[in-house]
Amino acid sequence: MDFASSKVSLKDYRDLQEKVHQLQSKVDSKTETIVRLGKDLETLQDENRMIKARSLTLERNLERVEMEVHKYAANEIDIKTSFKLEKQKLMDEIETLRKDLSAAQTENAELKAEKIDLQKDCKLFRQRIAKFEIANLESPCTSKEDTSSLRGKSSEDTGADGLGKYEKLYKEFKQIETDLHTVLGIKEELVMERDALVKKVERLSTEMSFLLNGDPRRVAEDLDTLVAENRFLKARLDSANEESETMKATLSKYRAMTESRPSTANPTVSQDSSLGEKSSVAVVNMKQIRELLSSHAIKLDDNDYKAITAILLDLCNDKQMALTHLRRANKVLGNRVNEVESHLAVLEAKSRSTSPNKPS
């Protein structure tokens, strides 16, 4: 009995030990699960903090964009109001020009009618003058001739007055016609300016809508880059113009030197046939000057030394001009490098300011 009870107790002990091991493994798995859940909770908390930071940055960006939109809207309203005012002004001017045109046309019609009346009067006067002349030719009496001559003179005077009035009215008509042409030209210019302003406003409104909507057709060029490139190209153009002027001056100087080579004859004829006559002195570079000064076969006088001195002075001036040109070119390149560095600094600052907004 004792042995059986001991067996049972040993078996129970083993069962209990197995249960303890199972419970221990369950506890370990639970602890691992709890640790994993804690880590997941920490990661979720970190993600929550990052999402909150991103939401704050997005809210700030949204506020900035809203402010820019309000600013652009205010500018658009100002542009529209100014466009309406200019349009109204142009319409008023067109209306006044139309009124002036109608008045000029009516005045032109009146002048044409007066012209026709004057032409009729002139025709009548000519007919009367012809009748009086025929009557004078047919009538033998001197009294009749006198009366007809007096009447002819009076008719001629009235005809001259009518012709003078007609010429005066014709001049006024021509002046009014020229004024009408000038008014029409001014009207055409105003219409062209109005069309240009309308096109400009339409283009600005489309560009503004592209900018506000983020359309890819908007102007994508950087104005700072364009301005810097324009300055650099302008400086290069100025330096190229200066270089061309320098080259022209140098070429003209060398041409003058080659055309007028200083040649001096030996004043005394030497007995030695190896010397003979003195050769002409024409030097261009330092090597020839050294050879000429070191040579004993050619005798130099004061004129030769003056020519050599002038050539050396010209060479010094050429070197000075070349150094000036190099300094200017270096200055232009230095300005360009400074602009590029400033532009890179601005781009780095922009990238740093926009880097927190990027999703992690």
Side-chain angles (χ1 to χ4, degrees):
M1 292 293 290
D2 293 332
F3 182 73
S5 62
S6 64
K7 261 187 176 182
V8 170
S9 62
L10 185 60
K11 189 176 181 181
D12 292 335
Y13 176 73
R14 287 178 179 174
D15 293 335
L16 288 172
Q17 194 173 6
E18 288 178 358
K19 287 180 180 180
V20 167
H21 284 298
Q22 290 176 0
L23 291 172
Q24 188 68 33
S25 62
K26 287 181 180 181
V27 168
D28 292 335
S29 63
K30 294 292 184 182
T31 52
E32 288 177 358
T33 305
I34 290 168
V35 170
R36 188 171 64 253
L37 289 173
K39 290 181 180 179
D40 293 336
L41 182 62
E42 288 178 356
T43 54
L44 288 173
Q45 287 177 355
D46 293 334
E47 289 180 357
N48 190 9
R49 284 196 294 272
M50 290 176 68
I51 289 168
K52 285 182 179 179
R54 286 178 62 190
S55 65
L56 289 173
T57 54
L58 289 173
E59 287 177 357
R60 290 173 185 172
N61 292 329
L62 182 62
E63 290 177 356
R64 188 172 67 251
V65 170
E66 286 178 353
M67 290 174 66
E68 290 179 356
V69 167
H70 288 303
K71 184 171 70 175
Y72 284 127
N75 291 328
E76 187 177 3
I77 291 167
D78 294 334
I79 290 169
K80 285 183 178 179
T81 53
S82 63
F83 171 69
K84 287 180 180 178
L85 291 173
E86 290 178 356
K87 185 178 179 181
Q88 187 65 32
K89 187 178 178 181
L90 290 172
M91 292 296 290
D92 295 335
E93 290 179 356
I94 290 167
E95 190 66 28
T96 54
L97 289 172
R98 284 177 180 173
K99 290 179 181 178
D100 294 336
L101 180 62
S102 62
Q105 286 177 354
T106 54
E107 192 172 357
N108 188 10
E110 291 176 358
L111 290 172
K112 283 182 179 179
E114 289 180 359
K115 177 185 173 183
I116 292 167
D117 294 334
L118 288 172
Q119 285 177 354
K120 290 179 180 179
D121 293 336
C122 289
K123 189 175 181 181
L124 291 172
F125 284 131
R126 288 194 187 97
Q127 288 177 359
R128 288 179 183 177
I129 290 166
K131 287 179 181 179
F132 280 121
E133 287 178 353
I134 292 167
N136 288 327
L137 290 172
E138 290 179 353
S139 63
C141 298
T142 58
S143 61
K144 288 182 179 180
E145 289 178 358
D146 294 334
T147 54
S148 64
S149 63
L150 290 172
R151 288 177 182 176
K153 287 180 180 179
S154 62
S155 63
E156 285 177 359
D157 293 334
T158 54
D161 293 334
L163 288 172
K165 191 183 290 184
Y166 168 71
E167 289 177 356
K168 185 178 179 181
L169 291 172
Y170 187 72
K171 287 180 181 178
E172 290 179 357
F173 168 71
K174 287 293 183 183
Q175 184 66 33
I176 290 168
E177 192 174 1
T178 54
D179 294 337
L180 179 62
H181 285 301
T182 54
V183 168
L184 290 173
I186 293 168
K187 177 189 172 184
E188 289 179 358
E189 290 178 358
L190 290 172
V191 169
M192 290 172 68
E193 289 179 358
R194 185 195 65 185
D195 294 335
L197 288 172
V198 168
K199 289 180 181 178
K200 185 176 180 181
V201 170
E202 288 178 356
R203 189 174 68 253
L204 288 173
S205 61
T206 52
E207 289 293 335
M208 193 177 293
S209 63
F210 289 162
L211 286 171
L212 293 175
N213 296 324
D215 198 282
R217 290 176 290 177
R218 67 184 186 277
V219 179
E221 287 83 3
D222 191 1
L223 294 177
D224 295 331
T225 305
L226 292 175
V227 170
E229 190 70 23
N230 191 8
R231 289 176 183 171
F232 177 69
L233 292 174
K234 189 175 180 181
R236 288 288 299 275
L237 181 61
D238 293 335
S239 63
N241 289 327
E242 291 177 358
E243 187 176 357
S244 66
E245 292 294 332
T246 305
M247 289 177 69
K248 286 179 182 178
T250 307
L251 288 172
S252 62
K253 183 181 65 179
Y254 284 156
R255 184 179 294 171
M257 288 170 62
T258 54
E259 287 177 356
S260 61
R261 290 185 177 181
S263 60
T264 58
N266 196 358
T268 59
V269 179
S270 178
Q271 298 295 328
D272 193 359
S273 62
S274 62
L275 293 176
E277 288 186 356
K278 184 180 177 181
S279 62
S280 63
V281 177
V283 291
V284 177
N285 52 16
M286 292 297 296
K287 185 178 180 181
Q288 292 179 357
I289 291 171
R290 290 194 191 96
E291 290 177 355
L292 183 63
L293 292 174
S294 62
S295 176
H296 297 287
I298 299 173
K299 292 183 179 180
L300 301 175
D301 55 0
D302 294 336
N303 293 323
D304 295 333
Y305 285 116
K306 286 180 181 179
I308 291 170
T309 306
I311 291 167
L312 289 172
L313 184 60
D314 291 334
L315 290 173
C316 291
N317 290 328
D318 293 338
K319 295 293 184 182
Q320 188 68 29
M321 290 172 71
L323 287 173
T324 305
H325 176 65
L326 287 174
R327 286 172 185 169
R328 288 177 181 174
N330 290 329
K331 187 176 180 181
V332 171
L333 291 174
N335 292 328
R336 179 62 176 166
V337 169
N338 290 327
E339 289 178 358
V340 171
E341 287 179 354
S342 62
H343 190 62
L344 288 174
V346 170
L347 290 175
E348 287 179 359
K350 286 182 180 179
S351 63
R352 288 174 184 173
S353 62
T354 56
S355 59
N357 297 328
K358 294 181 180 179
S360 60

